[in-house]
Amino acid sequence: MPVTSQLFRGFPRAKLWGSSLFPCQRQLPCCPTSHRPTSSQPHSIWPTAMPVRGYRRSPDLHSYNLTPPQVNSILKANEYSFKVPEFDGKNVSSVMGFDSNQLPANAPIEDRRSAATCLQTRGMLLGVFDGHAGCACAQALSERLFYYVAMSLMPHETLCELEAAVEAGRPLSPILQWHKHPNDYFTREAQTMYFNSLRTYWQELIDLSSPGESLGPREALLSAFKRLDSDLSLEAQVGDANSFLHYWVLRVAFSGATACVAHIDGSDLYVANTGDGRAVLGVQEEDGSFSAHTLSNDHNAQNENEVARIQGEHPPSEKKTVVRQDRLLGLLMPFRAFGDVKFKWSIDLQRGVLESGPDQLHDNEHTKFIPPNYHTPPYLTAEPEITHHRLRPQDRFLVLGTDGLWETLHRQEVVRIVGEYLTGVHQRQPLTVGGYHVTLGQMQGLLAERKARASLAFQDQNAATHLIRHAVGNNEFGAVDHETLSKMLSLPEELARMYRDDITIIITQFNPHVVGHQGMWT
């Protein structure tokens, strides 16, 4: 078996305004040629008629009535669960397992997700990736970023052993154990290029380190994020003799994606965030209720520090143009992202790369567009903001979600829904009617409905599915309503994106007994 295939065995709402720079194929997969591993194997730029910020309800037109089994089939189509194996009847890991799921709004979905065990450290990596201007960049991140993190975490000696094995043509030890849904595919034709870029990276890590040295998790995550984004850019500039692969690397570089990644090793939880994905910790209080502890900051116009950072990186003459209408240069919603070379490269470089690119680019007017007031690039970075949290017994779970989730539910509501699902204890909240005028009889009916729903509250076998059911199906009273679910899930492709974004969720459950003991030993 070739070295490349051994290393990569199992390698598995509009962010911008308008249509994609490089639209993905209408059906999955969006990649050149994809391979779907078995599950056991360890936003557009141009102004649209209707901005999609926020979550519109009451989609009365062009929707159909779905039966409960049909609703469940849609909601569960992409769900995946992983439980950490026990040894001698005990789970010695701080992670008990995770549930994940995705619900598309775009066709095809532009979100991606990844989960893997890092075999060198036994830590777990989990990430959600929100693509825009197509799915290509998010797809590349889902396949490649964890390998860069794993290499960054390796000690000098292990990197040297890896390089020696490649030089000698010897088999390589697996680096990651992937935990994938059967629909989570990888781009087969790009594997050799991906491997060569990764090898160059670990060779440089060897040159920059000494025996006995290795990067800590914070430095490793920072280095991996920045280096992969640099490689995406370099691969697009260099191109490839294979015209199809050349087109693919340009698709990756000219589209973009945010990333929210968690690395969990023992009681140490690190979150690296680039963009507007979010990581929220579910903390169980003494009275059994759950509170939300946010471990990431959104990199967008609502973050005053981000606005100040961007304005400070450019001349005072650009202060009024670098952020316009709450978007970078008036176009891009996230202020940090992978890819998106239209916000990073010089105008001359963009034109030079496109002119020498495949013929498919020449008829695409979007690729020739230069953002307005584009004077002092780069305007965008993939550098993550990294947060460290020492896990405690009361830290029960972590929710990673793309912004499609957080636009529909407040983080406290997310934590309450997940906490009640995982514990099986339904914390009854005072019934609110959101400012509606209701009669006593109507209130009695609402209470009866809530009582009836309690017996069905935990019908899902996957916490992420349960959360998506609430995100899409909550009515004006904050309760899941089948009619609302049916309408939202039956909207045609061209309308669905007007009401919500793609939603991708990973919910990781912690082992309080192990976390508590580790806290005592350190």
Side-chain angles (χ1 to χ4, degrees):
M1 180 180 294
V3 170
T4 315
S5 59
Q6 290 204 14
L7 177 62
F8 292 99
R9 183 182 302 169
F11 192 82
R13 160 228 98 139
K15 292 293 184 178
L16 300 87
W17 275 20
S19 57
S20 301
L21 294 175
F22 296 93
C24 293
Q25 298 170 358
R26 296 297 290 175
Q27 70 283 351
L28 289 176
C30 76
C31 305
T33 298
S34 64
H35 171 70
R36 296 171 183 262
T38 62
S39 57
S40 60
Q41 187 175 6
H43 300 289
S44 53
I45 284 187
W46 324 110
T48 56
M50 181 181 297
V52 294
R53 194 66 179 173
Y55 194 63
R56 296 185 55 195
R57 292 293 185 181
S58 303
D60 296 324
L61 300 178
H62 302 97
S63 61
Y64 305 91
N65 291 324
L66 301 176
T67 65
Q70 288 173 324
V71 166
N72 287 337
S73 178
I74 294 171
L75 291 179
K76 298 181 180 184
N78 296 310
E79 68 178 13
Y80 178 81
S81 295
F82 173 76
K83 302 301 180 187
V84 174
E86 294 183 347
F87 299 94
D88 295 329
K90 296 181 180 180
N91 182 348
V92 297
S93 170
S94 58
V95 174
M96 296 178 66
F98 69 86
D99 291 339
S100 71
N101 203 347
Q102 294 182 298
L103 183 67
N106 294 289
I109 187 172
E110 294 180 340
D111 281 6
R112 293 294 186 271
R113 58 182 166 177
S114 292
T117 300
C118 188
L119 297 178
Q120 298 296 326
T121 66
R122 303 309 304 176
M124 183 166 283
L125 286 162
L126 307 112
V128 294
F129 312 100
D130 188 350
H132 48 266
C135 59
C137 188
Q139 176 63 33
L141 298 188
S142 72
E143 300 180 41
R144 305 179 66 180
L145 182 56
F146 287 4
Y147 279 108
Y148 280 69
V149 175
M151 292 299 169
S152 302
L153 287 167
M154 284 186 182
H156 178 90
E157 291 78 7
T158 305
L159 291 171
C160 290
E161 293 172 3
L162 187 63
E163 176 62 18
V166 174
E167 282 288 336
R170 297 195 305 269
L172 301 177
S173 300
I175 295 171
L176 296 173
Q177 179 187 9
W178 290 96
H179 311 299
K180 285 182 169 289
H181 187 279
N183 289 340
D184 296 337
Y185 50 84
F186 62 86
T187 46
R188 177 175 297 165
E189 282 140 335
Q191 296 305 300
T192 299
M193 180 187 67
Y194 290 174
F195 175 82
N196 290 336
S197 294
L198 184 66
R199 185 184 180 189
T200 300
Y201 178 48
W202 83 54
Q203 289 172 337
E204 293 183 14
L205 288 173
I206 292 173
D207 293 339
L208 294 172
S209 62
S210 302
E213 292 183 350
S214 62
L215 295 178
R218 181 183 297 274
E219 295 77 15
L221 288 164
L222 178 64
S223 178
F225 272 57
K226 295 175 69 173
R227 180 51 182 258
L228 177 54
D229 190 56
S230 175
D231 282 353
L232 299 182
S233 174
L234 182 61
E235 289 160 3
Q237 294 176 51
V238 173
D240 195 274
N242 181 318
S243 61
F244 196 85
L245 189 55
H246 191 177
Y247 181 55
W248 171 249
V249 297
L250 288 172
R251 283 181 61 188
V252 171
F254 276 87
S255 60
T258 66
C260 188
V261 170
H263 178 262
I264 308 165
D265 190 357
S267 292
D268 289 307
L269 166 60
Y270 285 86
V271 172
N273 186 54
T274 292
D276 52 10
R278 195 176 294 174
V280 175
L281 194 66
V283 181
Q284 190 166 29
E285 305 296 344
E286 292 184 359
D287 63 359
S289 64
F290 287 88
S291 60
H293 179 47
T294 305
L295 295 177
S296 61
N297 295 310
D298 296 348
H299 299 136
N300 54 29
Q302 282 64 54
N303 184 334
E304 294 180 357
N305 292 332
E306 276 296 286
V307 174
R309 177 187 65 82
I310 291 176
Q311 290 177 337
E313 292 174 352
H314 299 276
S317 59
E318 296 187 57
K319 184 174 183 179
K320 294 183 178 180
T321 59
V322 68
V323 176
R324 296 181 62 233
Q325 297 178 323
D326 287 343
R327 293 171 182 254
L328 184 67
L329 296 177
L331 297 174
L332 188 65
M333 289 183 67
F335 287 179
R336 303 192 194 192
F338 286 82
D340 283 321
V341 294
K342 275 195 160 301
F343 298 87
K344 298 174 181 177
W345 288 357
S346 69
I347 294 176
D348 289 342
L349 178 57
Q350 291 187 43
R351 288 173 175 167
V353 168
L354 293 174
E355 287 173 2
S356 62
D359 293 339
Q360 298 100 311
L361 299 178
H362 298 160
D363 296 330
N364 192 325
E365 291 297 323
H366 299 325
T367 64
K368 304 173 185 178
F369 175 81
I370 301 297
N373 302 299
Y374 197 78
H375 305 301
T376 56
Y379 289 89
L380 191 65
T381 180
E383 180 173 334
E385 189 172 8
I386 300 173
T387 303
H388 173 242
H389 178 79
R390 186 76 173 170
L391 290 173
R392 308 158 298 175
Q394 63 265 39
D395 299 329
R396 301 304 299 272
F397 57 87
L398 176 71
V399 180
L400 299 179
T402 55
D403 66 342
L405 169 66
W406 311 109
E407 288 173 353
T408 64
L409 291 174
H410 188 272
R411 62 181 181 273
Q412 183 57 47
E413 184 71 359
V414 166
V415 165
R416 182 189 65 80
I417 292 169
V418 174
E420 291 179 358
Y421 172 86
L422 293 177
T423 61
V425 177
H426 190 66
Q427 298 283 338
R428 291 294 180 88
Q429 303 294 320
L431 185 62
T432 61
V433 294
Y436 289 81
H437 296 286
V438 296
T439 66
L440 184 60
Q442 289 171 327
M443 180 64 75
Q444 184 177 6
L446 289 171
L447 289 169
E449 289 178 14
R450 185 168 79 168
K451 183 178 180 180
R453 284 194 303 268
S455 61
L456 302 173
F458 308 108
Q459 60 182 316
D460 296 310
Q461 302 302 308
N462 181 293
T465 303
H466 185 72
L467 185 54
I468 289 177
R469 188 183 298 274
H470 278 267
V472 178
N474 273 8
N475 60 20
E476 60 269 32
F477 302 115
V480 174
D481 175 72
H482 173 74
E483 183 178 357
T484 302
L485 264 177
S486 176
K487 288 181 177 181
M488 294 301 297
L489 295 178
S490 62
L491 286 171
E493 295 175 357
E494 61 272 15
L495 291 181
R497 190 60 187 84
M498 296 181 179
Y499 292 92
R500 60 176 180 83
D501 198 354
D502 297 332
I503 298 175
T504 298
I505 300 169
I506 300 177
I507 298 173
T508 305
Q509 189 173 3
F510 300 120
N511 188 338
H513 305 292
V514 173
V515 169
H517 286 189
Q518 290 173 337
M520 293 170 59
W521 296 332
T522 57

